[in-house]
Amino acid sequence: MVCNHRCVGCLLCLLSLLCSLTMATMTSQSPLPSTPVAKKVEHVMEMFGDVRVDNYYWLRDDSRSNPEILSYLQLENTYTHSIMSGTKFFEDELFGEIKGRVKEDDISAPIRRGQYYYYKRYLKGKEYVQYCRRLVPTNDTAPSVIAAFKVSMNNKLVAYAEDTKGDEIYTFYVIDAETGAPVDKPLTAVTRYIEWAGDEALVYITMDEILRPDKVWLHKLGNDQSSDICLYHEKDDIFSLDLEASESKKFLFVGSESKITRSIFYLDVAKPEDLRVLTPRVVGVDTSASHWGNHFIIRRRTDDFFNSELLACPVDNTSETTVLIPHRESVKIQGKQLFIEHLAVYERENGLPKITTYRLPPVGEPFKSLQGGKTVDFVDPIYSIEQSESQFSSSILRFSYSSMKTPPSVYDHDMNTGISVLKKIETVLGGFNLSNYVTERKWASASDATQIPISIVYRKNLVKLDGSDPLLLYGYGSYEICIDPSFKTSRLSLLDRGFIYAIAHIRGGGEMGRQWYENGKLLKKKNTFTDFIACAEYLIENRYCSKEKLCIEGRSAGGLLMGAVLNMRPDLFKAAVAGVPFVDVLTTMLDPTIPLTTEEWEEWGDPRKKEFYFYMKSYSPVDNVKAQNYPNILVTAGLNDPRVMYSEPAKFVAN
Ligand SMILES: *[C@@H]1O[C@H](CO)[C@@H](O)[C@H](O)[C@H]1NC(C)=O
Ligand SMILES: *[C@@H]1O[C@H](CO)[C@@H](O)[C@H](O)[C@H]1NC(C)=O
Ligand SMILES: *[C@@H]1O[C@H](CO)[C@@H](O)[C@H](O)[C@H]1NC(C)=O
């Protein structure tokens, strides 16, 4: 149920929300259409002597073709359209305004590899990206339209994929980078995991029939795909494989991952038939690896060292480990990036991402614990950063940056001097000026006194901060996902109308490190909901808004959050948007035939066990709808959504 929050769908939610706010004034004269009523068919479920009656169980139909169900869903859609009809014109206007801020023809900041610059080009009216390269200094070659793009070590060959169906199963073509001539037969039915092992071989991963990446293959150029060598087959179906090349390009790493465990194999590109174990599989131990000099660099998370530690071991004796950065309770290690003389560590501390860089000892000298790390400075008090592709041989670290007021920016940070240079900032059209906005961090006190971070943005001089401003509070809080404060062009339409926008960084997410997640899942899931309520109360007490102006939004697992807090505190909010909400937690998690159920018992709990059953029942939104005054709620569902079945939101509404 991991969702791509803030996708196009979300934009639509935003539009609908605005509508429901203006709805009261728009529709007060005309009579409201009658609310659709779903028929009731008693479905009795009994477990541990507990009886639940689900009158709307019949709404679930895996074939999605039952005419009675479709006609009920149609009634709900008609009702929504009729309720929203008063603001149709405003919706169109708003959509035009949001589109008008986006610059459609654009290219990414180029990255240099060898004698070429590589960059991406986004074209007006096209949904795909062009991968391009040009000779240094400048000589444009015709760009080709492709989905994935891997250049061989000597820059002479390119393996690229065409993603024609959007099903993430690719056909890879290998061409001469200079002439574009094909040099090998295409490789079919490959995942996006493909890497060069030197200049004459490719390693790639394929999937089994349930689309689980399960086999690693070695392909030598010129050979038929049918004679490729299978290097590894992951037979345990709770594990999936992935593949990554080291920054040095000398090693490939194959990861085998379940929800809580990740072990690694490695392969020297000079001897690509020889796949070896780097970190053995130990349940609950999660590792990732890189290569530098004569060493592997390993990030390792265990139950005790939950925020990860960083280790080094010699390539020729992987059991001889040295701790480079020890585990810390308050700093989580998220990622690492190696350079010929430096190491950049992506971390989280105090609810924000950070980057610390270290100068590494000369190759050949033994590794000791790393000292004297330098942290990178950022321009805003709260922000979001993303790792970017950099050149291994340089001392320049490239990263992407944005904040709730600063559009996406690409920086080149010199790890020797500590100076960051802005290479590119996304153009926002329509008179946008970032100095008009304020972004800040506040902390709400949860019921157990835990301090919950909140990110806030608003437009200066438009808001009064006296409790009369409207506010949209967003939350997610599951799967250790961090909702860092980043830039959203569409949000400006809200801010420029005097809205305050806030993100509640509640437990269940990963914003404050691994424990933040552990304390908001399984039998501690309710912390996620009470944290969100605490954030809402903080914003009201501190006059950012009032109950009459407080709107909330969440999608997928964040839609579960919406359902839960609406049942717990319907009095606290004016309006809510629940996008494809996961609201039928108990019934869904009791049904192992539904996709995601079995692998998600680690997140929500296995309700076939009594303790979990009663705990999940106590918050599962569909099981807790009561006759009480609810705020305005917009619930959306996707008939073909594989992550949250349409029947969950439909049942929530019917109840
Ligand atoms: C660009 O490269 C092509 C062939 O690689 C060459 O013929 C042409 O003269 C070059 N153009 C410029 C402007 O350097
Ligand atoms: C590898 O390292 C371990 C742990 O330090 C040591 O016991 C072992 O003797 C080493 N093996 C070799 C071949 O050097
Ligand atoms: C943005 O606003 C600031 C402060 O009002 C002003 O100094 C600056 O010139 C403006 N920038 C642009 C590009 O209009």
Side-chain angles (χ1 to χ4, degrees):
M1 269 151 256
V2 177
C3 77
N4 291 323
H5 51 273
R6 306 261 154 238
C7 47
V8 178
C10 213
L11 185 70
L12 297 173
C13 291
L14 182 72
L15 294 172
S16 313
L17 173 76
L18 290 168
C19 301
S20 65
L21 285 175
T22 41
M23 192 181 79
T25 45
M26 303 296 294
T27 54
S28 53
Q29 300 91 337
S30 52
L32 287 178
S34 61
T35 321
V37 178
K39 77 164 180 189
K40 293 188 180 182
V41 180
E42 209 176 71
H43 176 81
V44 177
M45 292 172 287
E46 189 177 346
M47 195 131 186
F48 305 116
D50 180 55
V51 175
R52 290 185 303 141
V53 178
D54 185 347
N55 287 323
Y56 306 107
Y57 192 86
W58 66 274
L59 281 172
R60 179 181 158 195
D61 165 33
D62 292 349
S63 74
R64 296 162 166 91
S65 59
N66 177 327
E68 200 176 0
I69 295 174
L70 293 177
S71 90
Y72 169 69
L73 296 176
Q74 196 51 54
L75 277 180
E76 285 288 356
N77 276 344
T78 311
Y79 175 72
T80 306
H81 289 142
S82 123
I83 287 276
M84 302 291 202
S85 61
T87 51
K88 183 79 186 79
F89 177 75
F90 179 52
E91 267 180 55
D92 294 343
E93 188 184 272
L94 206 46
F95 189 68
E97 175 184 309
I98 290 170
K99 261 184 83 181
R101 287 209 178 87
V102 181
K103 187 164 175 253
E104 292 202 61
D105 278 303
D106 210 354
I107 62 164
S108 67
I111 172 154
R112 185 173 175 167
R113 249 196 249 127
Q115 54 189 144
Y116 295 100
Y117 283 121
Y118 292 90
Y119 58 97
K120 289 180 236 171
R121 180 181 279 172
Y122 308 88
L123 294 171
K124 190 170 180 144
K126 301 264 167 48
E127 281 178 4
Y128 51 77
V129 173
Q130 290 187 330
Y131 286 83
C132 312
R133 73 165 195 185
R134 58 183 158 77
L135 264 175
V136 176
T138 54
N139 191 338
D140 278 76
T141 53
S144 35
V145 177
I146 44 197
F149 190 89
K150 299 281 175 176
V151 186
S152 66
M153 279 178 78
N154 61 10
N155 282 306
K156 288 208 164 79
L157 302 175
V158 169
Y160 71 90
E162 268 178 6
D163 181 20
T164 44
K165 279 186 271 167
D167 58 2
E168 293 163 30
I169 303 174
Y170 302 106
T171 299
F172 271 87
Y173 301 89
V174 182
I175 55 166
D176 184 307
E178 204 62 45
T179 63
V183 296
D184 201 16
K185 273 183 266 172
L187 295 171
T188 57
V190 179
T191 61
R192 67 193 161 89
Y193 300 113
I194 187 164
E195 294 290 347
W196 285 94
D199 295 318
E200 279 152 21
L202 285 157
V203 172
Y204 61 90
I205 291 179
T206 57
M207 293 190 277
D208 65 8
E209 56 288 346
I210 58 161
L211 305 184
R212 178 180 68 97
D214 71 327
K215 285 195 180 116
V216 186
W217 299 90
L218 173 66
H219 173 76
K220 299 213 166 133
L221 291 193
N223 284 1
D224 202 84
Q225 190 177 1
S226 62
S227 61
D228 287 354
I229 304 161
C230 182
L231 298 176
Y232 180 67
H233 179 197
E234 178 57 76
K235 297 196 179 79
D236 186 338
D237 65 10
I238 73 163
F239 286 88
S240 300
L241 301 179
D242 60 69
L243 173 72
E244 200 183 12
S246 67
E247 293 90 339
S248 66
K249 305 285 177 211
K250 295 202 168 109
F251 287 87
L252 300 184
F253 298 106
V254 173
S256 177
E257 181 171 45
S258 74
K259 275 267 184 315
I260 55 168
T261 303
R262 189 170 187 275
S263 58
I264 302 164
F265 301 86
Y266 71 98
L267 173 160
D268 181 341
V269 300
K271 291 176 284 180
E273 295 87 0
D274 190 10
L275 188 70
R276 298 182 176 204
V277 172
L278 177 52
T279 57
R281 178 174 300 167
V282 179
V283 173
V285 174
D286 160 39
T287 52
S288 63
S290 305
H291 161 253
W292 190 84
N294 310 325
H295 286 83
F296 291 123
I297 311 289
I298 298 166
R299 180 198 56 77
R300 181 168 71 185
R301 189 196 76 216
T302 63
D303 289 347
D304 291 336
F305 294 167
F306 49 83
N307 274 337
S308 291
E309 56 181 346
L310 206 62
L311 310 169
C313 66
V315 167
D316 55 15
N317 187 353
T318 56
S319 51
E320 192 185 307
T321 53
T322 307
V323 177
L324 295 181
I325 302 176
H327 173 256
R328 292 154 296 171
E329 299 255 324
S330 61
V331 184
K332 177 183 160 187
I333 298 174
Q334 300 214 122
K336 63 209 161 345
Q337 199 167 358
L338 282 137
F339 294 82
I340 198 150
E341 290 174 335
H342 298 87
L343 166 67
V345 187
Y346 284 76
E347 300 172 314
R348 302 196 67 84
E349 185 173 22
N350 211 21
L352 285 173
K354 61 186 270 199
I355 306 174
T356 308
T357 65
Y358 298 88
R359 208 186 164 87
L360 293 171
V363 174
E365 277 187 24
F367 262 115
K368 291 191 292 279
S369 113
L370 292 174
Q371 307 289 334
K374 290 192 279 189
T375 55
V376 177
D377 295 325
F378 305 105
V379 294
D380 300 295
I382 56 169
Y383 53 83
S384 163
I385 45 180
E386 262 173 59
Q387 200 165 329
S388 210
E389 202 174 336
S390 303
Q391 243 198 316
F392 178 68
S393 61
S394 88
S395 57
I396 304 292
L397 166 72
R398 172 165 290 188
F399 61 85
S400 307
Y401 172 90
S402 89
S403 80
M404 287 163 103
K405 60 181 276 196
T406 307
S409 312
V410 174
Y411 279 94
D412 277 354
H413 175 83
D414 186 326
M415 291 181 280
N416 290 322
T417 64
I419 294 170
S420 298
V421 177
L422 177 63
K423 298 300 282 186
K424 183 174 167 63
I425 184 161
E426 200 176 286
T427 308
V428 179
L429 304 175
F432 169 77
N433 183 340
L434 66 84
S435 50
N436 289 335
Y437 303 87
V438 176
T439 177
E440 57 188 4
R441 167 124 316 160
K442 296 288 171 188
W443 300 81
S445 237
S447 37
D448 61 359
T450 302
Q451 296 297 297
I452 315 297
I454 309 175
S455 298
I456 298 174
V457 64
Y458 54 84
R459 185 166 174 154
K460 260 189 264 182
N461 307 326
L462 259 192
V463 300
K464 297 182 269 315
L465 300 176
D466 61 357
S468 70
D469 302 305
L471 186 146
L472 177 59
L473 178 62
Y474 177 84
Y476 187 75
S478 286
Y479 304 106
E480 205 182 358
I481 288 175
C482 302
I483 310 293
D484 284 327
S486 60
F487 191 80
K488 294 285 178 280
T489 310
S490 56
R491 191 193 291 140
L492 295 172
S493 290
L494 210 50
L495 302 181
D496 290 353
R497 285 176 175 76
F499 256 85
I500 298 171
Y501 183 89
I503 303 169
H505 302 287
I506 50 188
R507 282 176 282 182
E511 285 92 334
M512 298 281 284
R514 181 73 183 181
Q515 289 304 89
W516 206 243
Y517 169 57
E518 300 286 351
N519 289 333
K521 69 188 280 203
L522 299 175
L523 296 172
K524 293 180 179 163
K525 188 65 215 165
K526 282 197 227 170
N527 282 337
T528 305
F529 316 136
T530 50
D531 286 0
F532 190 82
I533 290 170
C535 291
E537 285 177 330
Y538 173 91
L539 292 166
I540 293 168
E541 268 158 37
N542 291 276
R543 303 173 77 77
Y544 283 95
C545 63
S546 61
K547 289 179 183 182
E548 290 69 38
K549 295 284 183 72
L550 174 55
C551 314
I552 56 174
E553 185 189 0
R555 292 178 60 77
S556 200
L560 157 63
L561 168 71
M562 295 297 106
V565 301
L566 286 166
N567 283 329
M568 290 164 82
R569 289 296 305 275
D571 62 301
L572 199 55
F573 315 106
K574 170 69 180 173
V577 178
V580 292
F582 172 47
V583 278
D584 199 8
V585 182
L586 189 53
T587 306
T588 296
M589 297 310 290
L590 278 169
D591 186 346
T593 67
I594 295 176
L596 288 182
T597 291
T598 51
E599 58 184 273
E600 295 239 319
W601 281 331
E602 280 175 3
E603 179 79 20
W604 315 106
D606 178 355
R608 296 170 311 168
K609 296 182 185 134
K610 191 170 178 181
E611 190 184 22
F612 286 104
Y613 174 87
F614 284 104
Y615 186 78
M616 292 163 78
K617 186 188 169 189
S618 72
Y619 70 77
S620 176
V622 163
D623 291 283
N624 287 281
V625 173
K626 289 187 277 283
Q628 53 184 355
N629 278 330
Y630 283 94
N632 298 319
I633 307 173
L634 174 70
V635 180
T636 64
L639 191 58
N640 293 313
D641 189 329
R643 296 196 169 96
V644 176
M645 288 220 307
Y646 74 91
S647 52
E648 297 200 22
K651 283 166 67 175
F652 183 62
V653 170
N655 266 298

